[in-house]
Amino acid sequence: MKISDYIVRSVAGKNYLVYTGPCLERYIKPVVISDVGAMICERLIRGMGINRIVDELHNYYAVDREVLLNDIKDFTDQLIGFDISVSKGADFI
């Protein structure tokens, strides 16, 4: 499943990554994500590149770019662990 087949929804103070793609024979359980995870996912869903996401989060949180890049890589690796395909194009590294 591709990240573009998902939406981010907030319910009762929690953020969820919810599958909305083509119907499958099995239920796809929503993934609980943090507020920052929701920000990252919303941008990935829109097709934004990793470096641009890092730039936006750097401007918003004033955190070191390398720290952000590593955190986003760790987060996208977790998404991949949930069988969510995240494009790590040439701008990822």
Side-chain angles (χ1 to χ4, degrees):
M1 295 155 297
K2 302 175 296 196
I3 189 72
S4 59
D5 291 334
Y6 285 80
I7 59 172
V8 175
R9 288 292 180 253
S10 181
V11 178
K14 288 189 178 182
N15 298 304
Y16 296 89
L17 190 57
V18 182
Y19 181 74
T20 60
C23 292
L24 300 174
E25 294 180 11
R26 63 183 173 88
Y27 171 71
I28 306 297
K29 183 177 178 181
V31 178
V32 177
I33 54 177
S34 67
D35 290 341
V36 176
M39 292 174 73
I40 294 167
C41 285
E42 288 168 345
R43 286 155 177 77
L44 289 171
I45 290 167
R46 291 194 316 249
M48 187 179 287
I50 299 298
N51 283 326
R52 181 135 179 247
I53 295 171
V54 168
D55 289 340
E56 284 193 11
L57 294 180
H58 172 71
N59 291 334
Y60 189 81
Y61 289 109
V63 175
D64 182 71
R65 285 184 50 80
E66 287 300 314
V67 170
L68 286 170
L69 186 60
N70 289 330
D71 287 350
I72 291 171
K73 182 186 180 316
D74 290 344
F75 179 73
T76 56
D77 286 346
Q78 290 175 11
L79 293 177
I80 291 167
F82 287 108
D83 293 326
I84 300 172
S85 174
V86 178
S87 175
K88 291 185 180 180
D91 80 334
F92 188 80
I93 297 177

